[in-house]
Amino acid sequence: MVSVTSSWLYCLSLLSLFPFISSSITIPLQYPQTNQIPFQDQYQKLNHLVTTSLARARHLKNPQPTTAATATAPLFSHSYGGYSISLSFGTPPQTLSFIMDTGSDVVWFPCTSRYLCKHCSFSSSSSSPRIQPFIPKESSSSKIIGCKNPKCSWIHQSNINCDQDCSVNSRLNQTCPPYMILYGSSTTVGIALSETLHLHGLSKPNFLVGCSVLSSHQPAGIAGFGRGLSSLPSQLGLGKFSYCLLSRRFDDDTKKRSSLVLDIEQLDSGKKTNALVYTPFVKNPKVEDKSSFSVYYYLGLRQITIGGHHVKMPYKYLSPGEDGNGGVIIDSATTFTFIAREAFEPLSDEFIRQITDYKRIKEFEDVDRARALL
């Protein structure tokens, strides 16, 4: 756990680390090399992916709001993965690797020469990549976000009381309080910066980005692509973005890349490509008391079929209800697909009914079932 016994002392320690966007852009998307962990065998690797996905699923169902980093918070025991992109910030630009995450909305990078990442595993190979932090003092466009700046509430997802959260003196009183973000299997702590984002010839000044000075189980920064105000698509004013994920084997860490396309000028926003099947996103009908749910991209799932047979299940588990619960979301940082037990059981029963030529291994199912309880 990270325990901060004094809010003003923590604000002071963070501040001491600093001195006083064509019509579309295509970015390579690849599996993050900074998250490589040396596994003894493929079962261990698969077990790791299952565990991290479960932690992620629990977090998405019961998200914890971003808070000022002045309280005790749990640290989880496994790293957080997905697909990565390279982004450049600062003047002159500093290029860093980020995990693309459609399930969150904050963009942050490892920051300052004193950046500390606890429980971050790497391969023992000398050629294995190491954490590359952003250095604010080497950028002339780097500025600390003020407490009364509206963007301060973006990163905290709530209104900030500037008179209580960081009030040592007038200097600290004008600074946005440190943030703490939980991702289910990792956490990060830092302060909000205003920086210039560079994207293939496009420059976006005054871009809100988190400068994290302490993380756990999360080597690389994260580029939030959710629906919140602080996400990369929202800050760039994108009408749409698209990405393609290459198929991967668990025993083959391919270096091949796919593409992330950002529609900057919002041309032909209603045009559809032939041979593709489309489905609209839906929004959660009730997010007033569940603001974290407003970040997610919900799919309007109507039914599930196995072998051409329609599986009957409660519709409330397929689409968000009036109370804000339920529904299906797209999350680029989760390896596996999860559904509620009430929907999974009829799905499993139908699958078992149709698969008659294979013997079930009960002992392994019991272990996996216990882990899968959400």
Side-chain angles (χ1 to χ4, degrees):
M1 294 185 179
V2 174
S3 179
V4 181
T5 57
S6 175
S7 62
W8 66 264
L9 179 60
Y10 202 79
C11 291
L12 181 61
S13 64
L14 288 176
L15 285 171
S16 66
L17 299 175
F18 292 84
F20 272 126
I21 252 184
S22 64
S23 62
S24 67
I25 292 176
T26 300
I27 303 174
L29 192 62
Q30 63 183 358
Y31 189 74
Q33 298 301 310
T34 51
N35 274 9
Q36 298 301 315
I37 299 176
F39 296 103
Q40 295 179 359
D41 53 52
Q42 294 309 313
Y43 176 79
Q44 185 186 57
K45 183 173 185 178
L46 183 60
N47 183 64
H48 164 79
L49 292 173
V50 170
T51 304
T52 55
S53 292
L54 282 170
R56 173 74 170 178
R58 293 187 182 99
H59 167 72
L60 292 174
K61 289 184 65 176
N62 300 284
Q64 299 298 315
T66 304
T67 61
T70 57
T72 299
L75 299 181
F76 298 88
S77 59
H78 297 280
S79 66
Y80 174 76
Y83 289 81
S84 68
I85 58 175
S86 293
L87 299 174
S88 298
F89 285 91
T91 308
Q94 301 176 43
T95 302
L96 305 170
S97 178
F98 295 79
I99 303 297
M100 176 196 171
D101 183 14
T102 60
S104 67
D105 61 346
V106 176
V107 181
W108 66 266
F109 43 51
C111 194
T112 80
S113 59
R114 302 180 186 178
Y115 176 74
L116 177 63
C117 189
K118 294 186 176 181
H119 311 294
C120 293
S121 301
F122 298 95
S123 171
S124 58
S125 171
S126 59
S127 61
S128 177
R130 291 297 184 265
I131 299 173
Q132 178 185 356
F134 181 86
I135 309 300
K137 68 180 181 181
E138 296 180 2
S139 171
S140 61
S141 54
S142 184
K143 300 177 183 177
I144 298 177
I145 293 289
C147 184
K148 296 183 179 180
N149 189 319
K151 293 182 179 180
C152 180
S153 62
W154 291 7
I155 202 168
H156 286 281
Q157 298 181 344
S158 63
N159 294 326
I160 298 298
N161 188 329
C162 298
D163 296 326
Q164 295 181 5
D165 290 320
C166 204
S167 56
V168 179
N169 52 44
S170 59
R171 176 187 173 187
L172 293 179
N173 193 42
Q174 298 303 315
T175 302
C176 184
Y179 61 79
M180 175 179 288
I181 306 175
L182 302 179
Y183 290 99
S185 55
S186 63
T187 189
T188 191
V189 177
I191 63 175
L193 289 185
S194 173
E195 255 299 358
T196 299
L197 170 64
H198 303 275
L199 281 175
H200 297 259
L202 171 70
S203 294
K204 177 66 175 179
N206 302 317
F207 189 97
L208 171 65
V209 62
C211 167
S212 287
V213 296
L214 173 64
S215 299
S216 179
H217 301 289
Q218 180 51 51
I222 291 178
F225 270 71
R227 283 175 157 169
L229 294 173
S230 61
S231 74
L232 189 144
S234 295
Q235 292 197 64
L236 294 182
L238 300 183
K240 60 182 178 180
F241 65 90
S242 62
Y243 61 93
C244 177
L245 301 180
L246 293 174
S247 297
R248 297 183 55 256
R249 290 165 52 111
F250 291 122
D251 57 352
D252 179 20
D253 291 329
T254 178
K255 295 183 179 179
K256 295 181 180 180
R257 299 179 178 183
S258 55
S259 295
L260 167 67
V261 181
L262 309 179
D263 182 22
I264 300 299
E265 295 185 3
Q266 303 185 31
L267 300 178
D268 299 324
S269 59
K271 185 178 180 180
K272 294 184 178 181
T273 302
N274 294 332
L276 294 182
V277 178
Y278 291 81
T279 185
F281 286 125
V282 297
K283 291 187 177 181
N284 194 309
K286 183 178 180 181
V287 296
E288 291 83 2
D289 55 345
K290 300 178 181 180
S291 60
S292 296
F293 287 5
S294 65
V295 173
Y296 302 154
Y297 294 98
Y298 285 85
L299 289 178
L301 185 61
R302 293 182 177 275
Q303 66 179 29
I304 298 177
T305 61
I306 296 180
H309 185 271
H310 174 214
V311 180
K312 294 183 179 180
M313 61 183 62
Y315 184 69
K316 65 181 180 179
Y317 297 110
L318 304 182
S319 182
E322 295 182 357
D323 60 354
N325 293 319
V328 178
I329 69 170
I330 293 290
D331 180 35
S332 63
T334 301
T335 304
F336 294 96
T337 299
F338 294 89
I339 58 177
R341 173 176 290 275
E342 292 82 356
F344 175 80
E345 289 182 345
L347 189 69
S348 175
D349 292 341
E350 178 60 27
F351 183 81
I352 294 171
R353 187 184 70 82
Q354 296 189 31
I355 303 298
T356 58
D357 298 332
Y358 297 90
K359 181 181 179 180
R360 296 175 61 179
I361 305 178
K362 293 289 188 178
E363 57 268 27
F364 283 101
E365 289 185 19
D366 293 339
V367 173
D368 292 338
R369 186 178 295 109
R371 289 178 174 175
L373 291 176
L374 296 179

